[in-house]
Each structure stands twice: as structure tokens, then as C-alpha cells.
Amino acid sequence: MKTIILRTASNYMLPLLLVFSVFILLRGHYLPGGGFVGGLIASIAFVLHAFANGLGDTRQLIRFHPGFLMPTGLTVSFLSGVSPIIFAGKPLMTGLWYPHHLPIVGNLGSALFFDIGVYLVVLGVTLTIIFTISESV
Amino acid sequence: MLSAILLGFIFSIFLVFAGKYFKGKLAVLSSLVPLVLFLYFLSFIPQVANGEVIRANYEWVPSLGLNLDFALDGLSLLFSLLITGIGFLVFAYTAAYLKGHDYLDRFYGYLGMFMGAMLGLVLSDNLLSMFIFWELTSISSFFLIGFNNTSEASRKSAVLALAITGSGGFLLLAGALLLGGVAGTYSISEMVGLSDSIVQSESYLWIVLLIFGAAFTKSAQFPFHFWLPGAMKAPTPVSTYLHSATMVKAGIYLLLRFTPVLGGEDIWNTTLITVGGITMFYAAVHTLFRTDLKGVLAYSTIAVLGLLVFLIGLGTEYALTAAAVYIIVHALYKATLFLITGIIDHETGTRDVTRLAGLRKVMFPVAIAGFLAALSSAGMPPFVGFIGKDLVYESTLHMGSWAIVLTVLAIATNILVLYAGFVAGIKPFTGKLPESFSKVHLPSFLMWLPPVILAVLGLVVGIFPGLIDGPLVQPVVNAVGIDDSELHLKLWHGFNTVLGLSALTLGVGFLLYFLVKPSKAKEKGVARFDFIAPLTLVNNFGNSFRTFSNWWTRIFQNGFLRNYVSTIILFLVVLVGYSLFSDHDGIPIDFSSFSRMTYYEMIIMGIMFLAILFVVGARSRLTAVVAMGVVGYAICLMFVIYSAPDLAMTQFSIDTLTVILFVLVLSSLPKYLSISDYKMKAIDGVLSVSFGILITLIALEVLGEPVNKEVSNFYADNAYVMAKGKNVVNVILVDFRGVDTLMEISVLTIAAIGVFSLLKLRLRRDDRELKD
């Protein structure tokens, strides 16, 4: 499926879709969206790129094995979950909120970091599975 | 006090990093850890002797009632001193015994962990934390028994010991939860005050049985005794420390600890007397037929454990004092005998008692320790063993109508224990030294000094019983619920029945020792009855269970993916369908409440239906996959119409990825084949249609039921107030039920790792085969 149209399009689509996925991730707390969907959209972006340009190109683009995103994401989520215990002496998973309103992001809280972890894990899992399968078959 | 308990654990973690420096000459320094702890606990003797209870409370999970509450009373103090004192000697002994061993640091790590766990167990005032430490002792015992992990026998023994003591741990947990439920607290010292209401509660019988189960498995009571002889595969320091002096007494500790809470009832006393009585006699008889020194000692240990349970069962002031004294007596002489056995094994290379003789000529100090320990185990005056044995007879004689039976049983056991002590402590050192042992020499003082110290202590304490009476024994007796005991330890009680019985024991015992010699022939003789031994029964049970589970697994895990799916669906249809149709006269579906279908819903339904027909009739995989994708997208549209944008988005992405995944693997799958005949297709059709109908019926019925909206209302009301989010779905995912999400992403990760390793590892193996 290495058509010139798809290849050209995917070069533009990849950054656009990635920005879109981050957008979906950030708005999740107030509007439809969230880390899970965001991660899926981001992985679709990479899969689309891989379809058009071949897996090797996409791998070069990412530079590291997508599998590393899984432990990273798990660590981020876990740390955001235990941060109330460490910083505020409150039970696990209590939401911690930055008191002031930030531009673009809105209210900043530990839940966002949790969602970022979910995003990374989902991206890592999907890409690992799809890359592994497409390499192996 | 917490730091004292944690010291053992900290030490073993420290060894993970610094272990390599402690393998050589520095190894002996690790004995400083138990020594410091021993001195620390020694400093509490005056306070505890005054009747004080030293407490330290740390909150852990207060909402579950799980706190690290520690209490140091007489009973805990006695055990703490045994654990750290004998621990000190064993740590030092090990430095020489396993000198130059590759994993010496690991061994010390396990020993440190065990010491910490055991201290935690005897100091815990909270039943739940006690359970945790209890399990930790089982686990460290598992590691230590299996320390020679290259030997299959020791691995098997380790698993067996873990299985038995571990299941006892389960019983303890169940008993603890029941007890906690009845008492309303997990604090043991509070339970003592609630004893009356606990004894009268309905669950009393269950509590007692569960606690008994835990104690009997840990303390190797008949019929759970068989793991202990197997545990002797461990290096001798372990046998000394865990399987004679401390860990196996954890069950005894548990029974003593709960005597003031649960004791005094018929079921308590009768069961303990019966089980203890059977155990002590059965194990004591077994010592006659063993030729391995450690085997002899293992069975005589079981006999003494039985005796202790028996004494707790008698439950009188005499009996409990006797139990307290006997714990000390036994720790002193049995640890000595084990350490001596280790020395003999280390220097001569055999533990076969029929071959050992005359060793006094080459290792005189060890021989002295052996003589002293054997005499103490025999109960010769003026050893401390004599005082212990006196108290035992004293307590059995006061048991009214059963006095004669119980006394005879106790005498018989003591005679056989005497025999075992003589076989282990005297036999190897007397007689003529065989030629082959003439080069044997005395080991490093680190090895022979510990048993000498222990054996001499046994003599000193016997001559001056005041050394242990006030400081140790009285506080124990107070701790198990008898206040102001008038009973004081004395070596000489004058000429009375008890003295006569003691003399009888000694006389018959000596006679037995000189008449009956351990021999291989007798060991073989008793092996004929192995087929009814509990060990064989358990092993057979284990084997047949494994055969059964193999068979069962092969039926269900037959490797055909479609069979798995059919099995799961069939099971669900039968189970859910039965419960759906059995309870009701009809299924209450309120058709009037349904809204009319709109035309776009009908269109979507039509698309879905067509797509499904395509899937069923497809002649190629691609068609089927694409058609399934259409079904998925149609469901997305439904979600959009019913304003569930989050679901729609997720479903959409997932469907896209699924189709992509299929397309990726499609090219390398084998040619599309129609394997199912018409019969198979018909069965599959019926199954899937009935499953669809069932799910539909359930969905409709759920709609008809009055819904409890409490939970969803809570989420809707509090999403913004408590979690500052307006998207309720997302707030539930990342905040209210965030721990669930954390688990789910962990599962996802595991799945990805599974896919990765399955495919990649298989490829590598192919590569390797190609190279060959």
C-alpha cells in the first residue's frame, strides 16, 4: 500500500493526529475524551504512518522501542496515585489540585498525570502488539 | 521495639548488597545482630518480672484493625530470649559450619529474615500482624530447608513443609478473622478480657478447631508431623534453630497465648491431651527405629512438642509451669544435641549412629557437651531436665480419674526420650574408636563452644533453679492467665511418689539403652508399615491430584480456539439461562414503556443485519473482517445517537485497530478452508442465536427492574464537587475508580508483554534450529 498519495498524506497526518490525541487527552476531564481514547488515536497515527511508509521508517521515527512506553506510563500513573500519600498524607488516589487556573490546561491536578500514564501505556501496548505481529507474520 | 523486630529484616536486605563481604572471615560478625538483640531483651527481665507489660503501638491499616501492636510480657520475653540467644550461638556456629560456602551470605539473609519474623510473631499483640509474621516464618523455613537446592530430596521436603505449614497459616487467618468478628477487636490482650463472651459464642467451636489446625501443623502434631523429619534435609544450624528450638514452638506459643482466651473448656483440654498424647507416644516409639542421628532427634523433638501440647491440654497450674520449664529445658538440651550432630557430620562425614563410636578420644569438649545434654534430656538430677520431668509427673498425678493413664503415658514417653538423648549424645562418643575415624579432629571453637555453653547452662540452671524461676517461668505462668502462682521451682522435693517415678524412668531408660541398639534391620522392619504412614498418604494424594488436574486441563485446554469460545458461551447460556427461567413464571418485560424506533435506528439495524449475513456467508477472510468492522461502526453510531460520545470514540478507535490487525495477519494465514460440516454449523448457529436471545432478554429485563441509581447519582453529583471534572466517565476512570484503571493498564501491559514474548521468543528458537 505504498501509494504516493497515502505516503504524502500520512506525513502530514501524523503530527496532526498526535496533536489531536493530546488534545483529546487534555480535555478528557471536562469533555468527551481521555487518556484511553487519546492513546488509541496516537497509536492509529503511527500505524497509519507505518502502513504508508513501511514499519522500518516508523521505527526510525520513534527511535526507541514502543514497549518502553508501558513501564514509563505505569510509573507515571502509579506515582500520581501515591503522590497524595507522599505529599499530603492523604489516602491513595486522593486528587491533588494546583490551586490556580492555568491557561489552556485549566485546572492542573494529579488526575491529569494519571491520565497521561494511561495514555502512554495504551500507546505502548497497542504499538508493541501491532509492531510485533506485523514483524513476525 | 519495632526496630528490634525489623533489625533481622534490615540485616537480610543489607546482605543483598553487601553479602559478598560477609562470606569470608567477616561472616562471624553477623552473629553480633542476634547478640545485640539478646542483650536488649535481657534488659527487660526486671520490668517483666515485676509483672509489667511493655507495649509499643504503630498504626498500619487502622481501618482494617491491622496495627503493629507489640506487647512484651513473660511469654513473649521467654520466646524472644530463646530466639535471639540460640540465634546468636547458631549464627556463630554457621560461620564455621558453612565456611567457604558459595551462598553463605544468602544463608545469613534467610536466617536474619526468620529471626525478624519469629520475633514479630511472639511480640505481636495484634492477631492479623501475628498471622503475617507467622507466614513469614513458614516462608523463611521453606528457603532454609531447600537451601541445598541442587538436591531433589531437599527441594521436595521444602515444598512439603511449606504446604503443611502454609495451609496451617490459612487456618490461622480464618480463625483470626472469626475470632476478630466475635470479639470485635484484633488485639489479643483485649480478647483476654472478653474470654467469657468468646467461649459462649456460636463460633467458638470453629475458632478452636482453626487455631488447633494452625498450631498442630506448625508444631508437627500427629497426623501433620511428617514434614518435620523431612525438614532435617536442611543444614544442621537450621535444624537446630528453626526445627527444634524456635519455629516449631510457634504452635506451642499460639496455644499458650490463647489459653487465657479460649482455654478451660472441655473441647480445648480433651483435644489437646489426646492429640498431644498420641503425638508424644507415637514419635517417641519411632526414635527406636531410626539410625540417622538427625532422624532420632527429629522424632524426639516431635515427642517433646507432643508433650508440650499435652501439658497445655492439662491446663492446671502445675502443667503450665511444667510447659514453661520444658520449653527452656528442651531448647537447651535439644539445641546442644543438634549442634553436636552437626559437628559429627561435619568432621566424620556420617550421621549413621551404627557406625559412630569412640569419638570422645578425638573431640573431648564435644563429648562433654553431649554427655551433659543427654543427662539433662534424661532428667537426671541435678540437671534442669529433672525439674521439668518432676513437674510433668506432678501435673499428671493430679488429674483425678485419668491420673494413672496419663502418668503411664508420660513415663513411657520420657523413657523413650531418654533413649533418644542417649543415642544422640552418648552413643557416638563411647566405645572403641574405629580406624577410619582416627584422623578426625576437633573443629574450630566457633563450632564446639556453642553446644558446650548450652549444655553447661542446663546444668547450672538445674543447680540454681532460682535463675529462671522468678525472672522467666513465673512471668510466663502469669501471662497464660494464672495469677499469683505459689509454685516455685525446686530441685529437691523430698522422698515422694514423683521421685519414685523419676527413678523408675531413669532405671528403665538405662536398661532400654543398654539392651536395644539402633540397627538398620529395625529401620527396615518399620518401613513395611510406610504404606499407612501419613506421609505416604499425603504424597499419594498429591500425585493423584496432579494426574487428575492433568486430565482435566487436557480436556478443556485442547488447543482449539473455537472450542474454547463455544465452551465459554455454552456454559454461560446454560448457567444464566437456568437462573433466568427457573425463578420466574415469566420474564417481566414492559413493552409499553419502550419508545418507538426511529427511522435512522432502523437503518442502522438494517446495516448491521446485512453485515452479519455477510460475515456468516463469507467465502474469504477479508470479507468477514470488513463486514465485522461494519458491525462495529454501526454500534458506534448507536452510541452517538444515545449520547455516549466517550464510548463511541473508544469503540471507533478499537474497531479501526482491530481491522488493521486482521489485515496485517491476513496475508500469512493459511488458505481459507471450510472445516465445519452442516451439523457443526447448525450447532454453532443454535448456540450463537440462543446466546444473543439470552443477552437481549437480560438487557430488557434489566430495563424493567426498578433501578437503584444511588451509585450513578453519587458519581454524577460529586464528579465536579469532589474531583473537579465535568466528564463523569473520565472522572470515574481516573479518580473514583482509579485503582481499577491502574490494574487494567497493568493487565494491558502484561498482555502486550505476552504477545511480544510469544512471538519473539518463538522466532529466536526457530533461528536456533536453523543454525543447527
Side-chain angles (χ1 to χ4, degrees):
Chain A
M1 273 199 269
K2 290 193 175 177
T3 69
I4 190 98
I5 300 173
L6 188 58
R7 207 183 310 172
T8 318
S10 76
N11 281 338
Y12 292 101
M13 290 291 282
L14 178 66
L16 275 180
L17 277 172
L18 284 181
V19 170
F20 180 63
S21 72
V22 174
F23 166 71
I24 290 283
L25 160 73
L26 291 181
R27 80 202 283 258
H29 219 54
Y30 305 100
L31 297 161
F36 196 82
V37 179
L40 286 178
I41 293 175
S43 48
I44 290 176
F46 284 111
V47 170
L48 187 67
H49 188 267
F51 250 88
N53 299 290
L55 196 57
D57 280 14
T58 318
R59 272 206 185 284
Q60 243 171 9
L61 198 72
I62 307 182
R63 281 160 197 267
F64 55 88
H65 194 286
F68 287 111
L69 289 173
M70 303 187 293
T72 317
L74 277 179
T75 316
V76 171
S77 287
F78 181 72
L79 287 182
S80 97
V82 296
S83 61
I85 301 180
I86 300 167
F87 297 119
K90 289 178 182 164
L92 186 77
M93 292 296 310
T94 312
L96 292 183
W97 293 90
Y98 184 69
H100 306 292
H101 199 80
L102 292 179
I104 306 169
V105 185
N107 286 332
L108 185 65
S110 58
L112 178 66
F113 291 97
F114 188 83
D115 228 9
I116 291 176
V118 175
Y119 176 91
L120 292 176
V121 172
V122 170
L123 180 59
V125 167
T126 322
L127 289 186
T128 306
I129 293 180
I130 290 187
F131 284 5
T132 311
I133 290 181
S134 54
E135 272 171 350
S136 310
V137 292
Chain B
M1 200 178 293
L2 184 63
S3 47
I5 293 164
L6 287 182
L7 190 60
F9 294 106
I10 294 170
F11 172 66
S12 58
I13 293 171
F14 165 73
L15 282 181
V16 173
F17 301 104
K20 54 177 179 281
Y21 307 112
F22 281 84
K23 282 187 196 176
K25 291 217 161 75
L26 288 180
V28 70
L29 286 183
S30 40
S31 60
L32 289 177
V33 177
L35 180 63
V36 167
L37 289 174
F38 181 67
L39 296 175
Y40 171 75
F41 285 113
L42 218 48
S43 72
F44 284 112
I45 285 190
Q47 277 171 282
V48 173
N50 278 337
E52 278 180 53
V53 178
I54 295 109
R55 289 177 188 282
N57 300 329
Y58 307 89
E59 285 203 337
W60 187 4
V61 192
S63 51
L64 289 179
L66 172 55
N67 293 323
L68 291 172
D69 295 342
F70 300 112
L72 183 68
D73 61 359
L75 185 58
S76 308
L77 184 65
L78 172 64
F79 273 90
S80 304
L81 288 173
L82 285 182
I83 293 161
T84 51
I86 294 186
F88 163 60
L89 298 175
V90 166
F91 270 56
Y93 179 91
T94 306
Y97 186 81
L98 288 178
K99 193 175 174 186
H101 195 287
D102 276 350
Y103 297 125
L104 184 57
D105 54 336
R106 204 183 276 184
F107 190 79
Y108 273 120
Y110 298 149
L111 276 187
M113 183 168 104
F114 167 74
M115 189 174 67
M118 195 66 205
L119 281 176
L121 167 58
V122 298
L123 290 171
S124 284
D125 189 37
N126 182 295
L127 202 44
L128 292 178
S129 62
M130 184 192 202
F131 161 76
I132 293 171
F133 288 117
W134 178 282
E135 289 292 67
L136 278 174
T137 61
S138 295
I139 291 167
S140 38
S141 147
F142 166 77
F143 283 130
L144 285 166
I145 298 172
F147 182 67
N148 293 323
N149 53 15
T150 46
S151 133
E152 195 192 344
S154 83
R155 290 200 305 267
K156 265 193 177 162
S157 304
V159 172
L160 187 68
L162 183 68
I164 299 294
T165 54
S167 43
F170 276 126
L171 300 181
L172 179 64
L173 179 62
L177 292 177
L178 262 183
L179 194 53
V182 171
T185 172
Y186 286 107
S187 158
I188 299 171
S189 41
E190 282 175 35
M191 283 176 193
V192 175
L194 299 168
S195 174
D196 287 340
S197 62
I198 293 173
V199 168
Q200 276 152 21
S201 79
E202 285 175 5
S203 332
Y204 174 73
L205 184 66
W206 280 107
I207 294 172
V208 168
L209 291 182
L210 289 167
I211 297 282
F212 279 172
F216 292 166
T217 47
K218 195 78 160 183
S219 287
Q221 297 300 298
F222 185 85
F224 307 111
H225 63 281
F226 50 84
W227 68 267
L228 192 57
M232 295 299 153
K233 300 281 187 303
T236 307
V238 177
S239 312
T240 314
Y241 192 28
L242 273 72
H243 304 126
S244 164
T246 57
M247 190 189 86
V248 288
K249 295 221 179 78
I252 305 296
Y253 170 80
L254 186 73
L255 293 176
L256 280 173
R257 179 55 81 204
F258 279 100
T259 299
V261 181
L262 303 170
E265 294 294 299
D266 262 352
I267 169 98
W268 175 272
N269 293 344
T270 324
T271 317
L272 289 183
I273 293 175
T274 318
V275 172
I278 294 176
T279 308
M280 67 188 194
F281 189 68
Y282 173 87
V285 171
H286 256 283
T287 57
L288 288 174
F289 300 99
R290 301 290 138 182
T291 57
D292 178 2
L293 273 181
K294 270 177 126 180
V296 173
L297 291 178
Y299 276 104
S300 89
T301 302
I302 298 175
V304 172
L305 291 171
L307 178 66
L308 286 170
V309 169
F310 174 79
L311 288 172
I312 299 171
L314 296 180
T316 55
E317 184 181 340
Y318 268 114
L320 292 173
T321 313
V325 174
Y326 231 91
I327 290 171
I328 302 172
V329 172
H330 179 246
L332 290 177
Y333 81 73
K334 193 53 69 63
T336 311
L337 292 178
F338 266 110
L339 291 175
I340 290 171
T341 305
I343 294 172
I344 295 174
D345 191 13
H346 197 259
E347 298 303 319
T348 67
T350 178
R351 296 195 306 249
D352 184 346
V353 73
T354 55
R355 291 179 51 208
L356 292 165
L359 289 173
R360 69 180 183 286
K361 287 172 187 143
V362 286
M363 38 175 85
F364 192 63
V366 184
I368 292 186
F371 270 82
L372 295 181
L375 292 177
S376 183
S377 88
M380 277 285 275
F383 288 89
V384 66
F386 175 71
I387 303 177
K389 189 157 48 75
D390 253 17
L391 283 166
V392 173
Y393 294 158
E394 197 77 63
S395 48
T396 51
L397 279 176
H398 285 87
M399 284 315 286
S401 52
W402 285 91
I404 295 178
V405 179
L406 297 177
T407 310
V408 168
L409 199 60
I411 292 176
T413 307
N414 267 320
I415 291 171
L416 291 163
V417 167
L418 177 153
Y419 169 82
F422 275 30
V423 166
I426 295 183
K427 172 109 185 8
F429 300 105
T430 50
K432 198 169 157 292
L433 187 72
E435 233 5 68
S436 53
F437 292 156
S438 57
K439 294 240 164 55
V440 171
H441 56 86
L442 194 64
S444 136
F445 77 99
L446 280 177
M447 278 175 79
W448 63 258
L449 205 52
V452 171
I453 293 175
L454 285 172
V456 170
L457 263 182
L459 179 61
V460 171
V461 170
I463 299 173
F464 307 105
L467 283 177
I468 56 166
D469 184 26
L472 286 175
V473 177
Q474 293 305 329
V476 172
V477 177
N478 290 340
V480 297
I482 290 167
D483 302 326
D484 306 325
S485 169
E486 290 298 311
L487 196 61
H488 289 288
L489 305 187
K490 271 188 290 185
L491 197 55
W492 184 248
H493 288 274
F495 293 97
N496 52 17
T497 333
V498 173
L499 189 71
L501 294 176
S502 264
L504 177 75
T505 312
L506 288 174
V508 179
F510 284 141
L511 216 61
L512 189 72
Y513 174 65
F514 286 112
L515 292 180
V516 181
K517 295 286 169 203
S519 74
K520 292 276 180 216
K522 269 189 296 191
E523 196 171 43
K524 281 213 185 86
V526 79
R528 271 179 307 163
F529 298 102
D530 269 354
F531 71 98
I532 46 163
L535 176 64
T536 326
L537 297 182
V538 165
N539 277 338
N540 287 346
F541 172 74
N543 288 338
S544 38
F545 196 77
R546 195 157 42 200
T547 320
F548 171 75
S549 53
N550 261 341
W551 172 78
W552 185 258
T553 312
R554 235 176 276 134
I555 285 188
F556 284 99
Q557 312 278 325
N558 50 16
F560 292 102
L561 214 51
R562 57 175 184 279
N563 286 6
Y564 292 2
V565 176
S566 321
T567 312
I568 292 170
I569 290 182
L570 182 69
F571 195 67
L572 211 73
V573 167
V574 170
L575 212 63
V576 177
Y578 174 75
S579 70
L580 198 63
F581 289 104
S582 62
D583 308 346
H584 302 284
D585 307 324
I587 296 162
I589 298 174
D590 185 7
F591 287 99
S592 61
S593 69
F594 295 168
S595 54
R596 290 178 63 82
M597 263 180 109
T598 54
Y599 66 93
Y600 43 83
E601 281 168 356
M602 279 188 208
I603 294 174
I604 294 173
M605 288 298 293
I607 295 174
M608 251 196 248
F609 191 70
L610 279 180
I612 288 171
L613 283 186
F614 254 89
V615 175
V616 176
R619 290 261 157 246
S620 85
R621 285 201 181 86
L622 192 63
T623 329
V625 168
V626 171
M628 275 311 284
V630 171
V631 175
Y633 290 139
I635 294 175
C636 280
L637 279 179
M638 287 298 234
F639 284 144
V640 172
I641 291 169
Y642 283 97
S643 55
D646 274 297
L647 284 179
M649 265 159 72
T650 313
Q651 176 84 26
F652 191 81
S653 323
I654 290 282
D655 260 308
T656 311
L657 282 170
T658 315
V659 172
I660 290 176
L661 207 61
F662 264 118
V663 172
L664 280 177
V665 295
L666 220 51
S667 56
S668 44
L669 287 178
K671 207 171 154 302
Y672 189 80
L673 289 173
S674 189
I675 354 178
S676 319
D677 53 8
Y678 277 103
K679 211 170 115 193
M680 205 61 218
K681 275 184 184 165
I683 293 175
D684 287 351
V686 169
L687 199 60
S688 45
V689 168
S690 52
F691 185 60
I693 291 175
L694 189 74
I695 295 295
T696 315
L697 282 178
I698 290 173
L700 291 178
E701 197 193 350
V702 166
L703 284 179
E705 299 278 331
V707 190
N708 184 354
K709 292 217 161 172
E710 207 176 315
V711 176
S712 45
N713 282 342
F714 171 82
Y715 287 144
D717 292 344
N718 290 299
Y720 195 69
V721 184
M722 287 168 75
K724 305 196 182 190
K726 290 174 188 155
N727 178 357
V728 181
V729 177
N730 186 263
V731 169
I732 292 175
L733 282 179
V734 299
D735 202 320
F736 289 139
R737 315 213 50 171
V739 179
D740 278 3
T741 312
L742 196 60
M743 296 300 138
E744 276 156 20
I745 55 179
S746 314
V747 170
L748 275 182
T749 309
I750 293 167
I753 293 171
V755 170
F756 184 78
S757 48
L758 268 179
L759 290 169
K760 289 290 177 184
L761 296 182
R762 193 194 53 150
L763 277 187
R764 290 210 187 112
R765 199 180 307 139
D766 288 351
D767 291 347
R768 207 180 308 139
E769 276 161 14
L770 281 181
K771 270 177 208 153
D772 294 344

